[in-house]
Amino acid sequence: MNLRSSWVAETGQTREDTRLNQIGATTPVNPVQVRSGILPGSYGGLHRLSGFWTEGTALMSVTVHEGRAVVQGDISQGVYPVALTSPVVLNVAPGTDQPRRDLLVIRIYDNLYDGQLRQEAKVEIIQGVPGSPDRPVAPPRSLQLYEIAVPANASAGTGGIPWNSALKDLRTPVVSIGGILPVEGEILPGGYPGQYQDTANNQLQRWDGGKWVAYPEAVGGIVPTSAGNIAGSYVGQYRDSNGLLQRWDGTAWKPAVPGPYFSDNSDFGDTASSTYTSTLGGRANNPFSLTFVAPPSKSVLVTFGSRIKSRNDLYGYMALRLTQGTTLIQDLDDEWAVIAASDNSVSASSTRRLSGLTPGASYTLTAFFRIVTNTAGVKAGFDNTFIRVDPQY
């Protein structure tokens, strides 16, 4: 086998062995030990991890492709670097009357610690227990590569192993101290605060001593769209949601700059009432209103209007009532109303500033309408009514 190792054999280590295994990849898990794993990299830079990639190449055999890795022993044993320079083919034992799960591993045999009179590194298959839903436990000084699901009675004569579904990838990557770890497979704890990893969804994360957190938390930056729909790390964190700036409020992402708010109704409606009413005859939807959230500045600009028709000597009025839930904040006032007197429809609008609002609270503006008192039965008509609220910052 072409699996080359360093500092295992008592004699016979070549200079070539040593050169191949000068990999410098040690991702720490404590002050003395490092994580066992495979060096990232692929031909053409297309994949995060291609070392020791395995495929079924015959009915009952697999081919393990080239790669480099480190295998950590017990705390006093050190780490073993290995390199496979050309593919190796392994045969899977035939199935029995019950299915089983085998384990493909890189295994270090070191007579100093296991007493097996062997000094070598091997790629091998650990056979599982028939009928057990679990794969076998990896031996000491070994690195898991793949789980192999072996069907009952599998053999070359019965169609072999269905390789498209039989292999479960267990490989994990390692990088040098200070390197950014590309995540493949299981997400493992960090070894020190300040360590970085690049997740499968292209999010950069930092180990804070207890958990992996999104990189923007550490620098106060904006979470990119590529991070996906993940929860925020702290109140006040910002993210780019496909071009829309949002802010995390502790439970949900909300627009960082809410508004403007706009509502309109193009149905014509009229009223003969000389006192304010929110119901217009002939209009399908009553009342007409708009709800908005007060900004941190506590102030908004409110613009509202309508096309109004009455009589050239009888004014029609449109005014707004401001409420917060069931609480009246500002009542109707002719002083702030939009008015017009005309035999024909004329457009009228007004803008005013509302201040002293409670930041983050929801308010509702509701439109009311009336016509001045008259004995002719003239109605005021309203069409294309609208309300717009622009938060001030």
Side-chain angles (χ1 to χ4, degrees):
M1 181 181 293
N2 292 319
L3 184 62
R4 315 285 284 268
S5 63
S6 295
W7 319 119
V8 177
E10 293 178 338
T11 60
Q13 177 173 322
T14 68
R15 287 175 294 176
E16 190 176 61
D17 290 332
T18 305
R19 289 194 303 271
L20 283 169
N21 288 294
Q22 296 308 304
I23 52 182
T26 53
T27 301
V29 294
N30 60 42
V32 179
Q33 294 176 292
V34 301
R35 180 188 299 184
S36 296
I38 298 167
L39 273 69
S42 61
Y43 294 110
L46 298 177
H47 307 286
R48 290 172 180 258
L49 192 65
S50 64
F52 297 95
W53 175 67
T54 298
E55 60 178 333
T57 49
L59 294 176
M60 294 296 294
S61 63
V62 293
T63 297
V64 182
H65 292 272
E66 61 272 21
R68 295 191 295 172
V70 291
V71 182
Q72 173 66 55
D74 289 341
I75 195 165
S76 63
Q77 297 173 4
V79 62
Y80 300 83
V82 297
L84 183 64
T85 57
S86 61
V88 60
V89 177
L90 300 176
N91 295 320
V92 180
T96 60
D97 58 348
Q98 296 185 76
R100 70 171 192 271
R101 296 184 181 276
D102 292 353
L103 184 63
L104 176 64
V105 301
I106 295 173
R107 185 173 181 180
I108 303 295
Y109 289 90
D110 190 339
N111 182 60
L112 181 62
Y113 303 111
D114 57 33
Q116 296 200 40
L117 305 179
R118 300 173 65 178
Q119 303 289 152
E120 60 180 335
K122 299 283 289 185
V123 178
E124 62 183 35
I125 296 174
I126 309 299
Q127 191 169 317
V129 177
S132 172
D134 302 319
R135 58 179 177 264
V137 176
R141 292 170 302 282
S142 64
L143 172 64
Q144 299 181 109
L145 298 178
Y146 285 84
E147 177 185 296
I148 304 173
V150 182
N153 301 313
S155 68
T158 60
I161 297 173
W163 291 115
N164 287 338
S165 60
L167 288 172
K168 180 179 181 181
D169 195 346
L170 304 176
R171 296 173 301 161
T172 55
V174 292
V175 293
S176 299
I177 294 176
I180 296 176
L181 185 69
V183 175
E184 285 290 319
E186 183 181 3
I187 297 179
L188 301 174
Y192 55 92
Q195 183 180 3
Y196 288 90
Q197 70 175 15
D198 180 20
T199 67
N201 63 353
N202 299 318
Q203 181 192 42
L204 189 62
Q205 294 181 333
R206 179 182 182 274
W207 181 254
D208 70 355
K211 64 181 183 301
W212 292 105
V213 296
Y215 177 68
E217 175 175 357
V219 299
I222 296 175
V223 180
T225 298
S226 60
N229 191 29
I230 61 172
S233 300
Y234 58 93
V235 175
Q237 185 177 15
Y238 289 90
R239 79 167 181 179
D240 175 16
S241 179
N242 295 305
L244 175 66
L245 186 64
Q246 294 182 328
R247 181 180 182 274
W248 181 254
D249 69 356
T251 57
W253 291 105
K254 294 183 179 179
V257 183
Y261 303 86
F262 184 83
S263 182
D264 64 345
N265 191 322
S266 59
D267 287 344
F268 177 85
D270 57 20
T271 182
S273 176
S274 60
T275 59
Y276 279 112
T277 176
S278 61
T279 301
L280 293 177
R283 179 172 279 188
N285 297 312
N286 288 291
F288 173 56
S289 63
L290 171 68
T291 297
F292 66 94
V293 177
S297 68
K298 306 180 183 180
S299 300
V300 297
L301 292 179
V302 178
T303 303
F304 64 103
S306 179
R307 292 180 63 188
I308 303 174
K309 177 182 179 182
S310 54
R311 203 172 73 180
N312 61 9
D313 59 343
L314 299 173
Y315 282 93
Y317 289 73
M318 175 185 176
L320 300 179
R321 173 179 285 167
L322 178 66
T323 56
Q324 183 182 2
T326 58
T327 302
L328 176 64
I329 303 300
Q330 192 172 96
D331 206 354
L332 304 166
D333 190 335
D334 287 348
E335 184 73 18
W336 304 109
V338 170
I339 63 174
S342 175
D343 294 328
N344 302 306
S345 294
V346 295
S347 295
S349 64
S350 179
T351 299
R352 59 170 304 200
R353 182 173 182 264
L354 296 178
S355 59
L357 305 175
T358 301
S362 292
Y363 293 85
T364 299
L365 289 165
T366 304
F368 284 77
F369 310 89
R370 75 177 185 91
I371 189 172
V372 296
T373 302
N374 70 90
T375 58
V378 176
K379 297 181 179 181
F382 300 87
D383 197 6
N384 295 340
T385 53
F386 74 93
I387 304 172
R388 172 173 171 151
V389 174
D390 290 274
Q392 289 191 292
Y393 295 96

